[in-house]
C-alpha cells in the first residue's frame, strides 16, 4: 500500500483526494487489526521513511502503522533508538491533509515521557505546539482528529517540565496554543496553569 500511495501521489486523476484518503484509511484499518503483526512491518516502514523520500500521504500511513505496532512503554522507548522525536516532528512538517495527521499525533503521545521531554530542544517543543495548533484547526474538516489532539495535548502538559512550558507560551504560536488549551477544557487548563505557577513561584528549599 505504501508504494501504491507513493506512485499515485505523482499522478493527476479524478477524485485523487478521496482515493488518497481512502488508501491511508485502509492502511490504518490493516495496521489496527489485532490479527496483524505490525512488528514485522516496522523495519519496512522505517526504511521507507528514511530512504524512499515518501509523499505526505505515505508518511501519514507509515506513522499509523508504526503507532499501531507500539503497544507498551518498552516498545516506545525502543523506537526512539531508531526514530527520534525531533525526526518525527521534522517529518510531520510535510503533512497538510487532516487525514495525514492521525498517526503522528498518536505516535507522539506514546513516545513522550518525563525523561525525553526534559532533553528535547526548544525547537522540537515548539514544533509539537505548532503541530497541535494546526491539527486542531484542521479538526473542523476531520472530526476524528479531535480525540487525538486532546490526548497529545494532555500528555504534553503532563510530562513537560515547568521550565520549558514557558518557552512554548512565549513562542510565535502562543496565541493559538492558548486557545487550544482553553477549548480543550479544565484538565488541560489546570495542567498548564500548574506548570506556569511553578515557573513564576518556584518552590523554595529550606
Amino acid at each position: 500500500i505504501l508504494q501504491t500511495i507513493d506512485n499515485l501521489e505523482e499522478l493527476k486523476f479524478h477524485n485523487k483526494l478521496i482515493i488518497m484518503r481512502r488508501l491511508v484509511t485502509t492502511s490504518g484499518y490493516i495496521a489496527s487489526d489485532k490479527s496483524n503483526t505490525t512488528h514485522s512491518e516496522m523495519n519496512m516502514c522505517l526504511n521507507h521513511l528514511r530512504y524512499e523520500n515518501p509523499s505526505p500521504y505515505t508518511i501519514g500511513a507509515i506513522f499509523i502503522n508504526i503507532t499501531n505496532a507500539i503497544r507498551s512503554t518498552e516498545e516506545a522507548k525502543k523506537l526512539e533508538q531508531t526514530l527520534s522525536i525531533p525526526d518525527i516532528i521534522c517529518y510531520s512538517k510535510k503533512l497538510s491533509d487532516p487525514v495525514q495527521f492521525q498517526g503522528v499525533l498518536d505516535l507522539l503521545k506514546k513516545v513522550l515521557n518525563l525523561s525525553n521531554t526534559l532533553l528535547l530542544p526548544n525547537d522540537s517543543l515548539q514544533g509539537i505546539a505548532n503541530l497541535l495548533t494546526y491539527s486542531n484547526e484542521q479538526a473542523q474538516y476531520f472530526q476524528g482528529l479531535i480525540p487525538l489532539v486532546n490526548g497529545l495535548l494532555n500528555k504534553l502538559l503532563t510530562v513537560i517540565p515547568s521550565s520549558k512550558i514557558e518557552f512554548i507560551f512565549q513562542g510565535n504560536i502562543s496565541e493559538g496554543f492558548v486557545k487550544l488549551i482553553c477549548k480543550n477544557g479544565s484538565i488541560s487548563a489546570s495542567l498548564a496553569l500548574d506548570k506556569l505557577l511553578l515557573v513564576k513561584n518556584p518552590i523554595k528549599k529550606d
Side-chain angles (χ1 to χ4, degrees), residues 43-184:
N43 288 336
M44 178 194 69
C45 287
L46 291 172
N47 288 333
H48 199 97
L49 196 61
R50 290 194 192 97
Y51 306 121
E52 300 297 331
N53 190 27
S55 71
Y57 281 101
T58 307
I59 293 173
I62 286 172
F63 280 142
I64 289 175
N65 278 271
I66 292 175
T67 193
N68 276 291
I70 297 175
R71 293 166 184 168
S72 69
T73 302
E74 291 71 24
E75 289 174 348
K77 291 180 179 179
K78 185 177 180 180
L79 175 68
E80 278 194 88
Q81 299 172 11
T82 53
L83 184 65
S84 68
I85 293 175
D87 285 340
I88 294 173
I89 296 167
C90 183
Y91 284 116
S92 75
K93 293 178 181 179
K94 300 180 180 180
L95 309 180
S96 58
D97 188 319
V99 173
Q100 299 167 357
F101 289 92
Q102 300 172 86
V104 70
L105 292 169
D106 190 58
L107 179 59
L108 283 171
K109 178 187 174 184
K110 289 182 177 180
V111 299
L112 282 177
N113 58 52
L114 290 168
S115 299
N116 58 31
T117 309
L118 180 64
L119 299 174
L120 274 183
N122 286 340
D123 61 339
S124 293
L125 289 172
Q126 189 69 64
I128 297 175
N130 292 348
L131 172 65
L132 280 165
T133 304
Y134 183 76
S135 298
N136 179 60
E137 293 170 354
Q138 295 300 306
Q140 62 181 309
Y141 309 110
F142 183 62
Q143 296 291 309
L145 286 183
I146 294 176
L148 297 172
V149 169
N150 294 346
L152 176 56
L153 176 63
N154 287 337
K155 180 65 175 291
L156 176 65
L157 294 174
T158 299
V159 300
I160 189 174
S162 56
S163 58
K164 285 183 174 288
I165 195 170
E166 189 175 31
F167 168 80
I168 291 181
F169 279 92
Q170 292 174 342
N172 295 328
I173 204 68
S174 59
E175 183 178 351
F177 192 62
V178 170
K179 287 181 179 178
L180 171 58
I181 291 174
C182 294
K183 175 185 175 182
N184 200 40

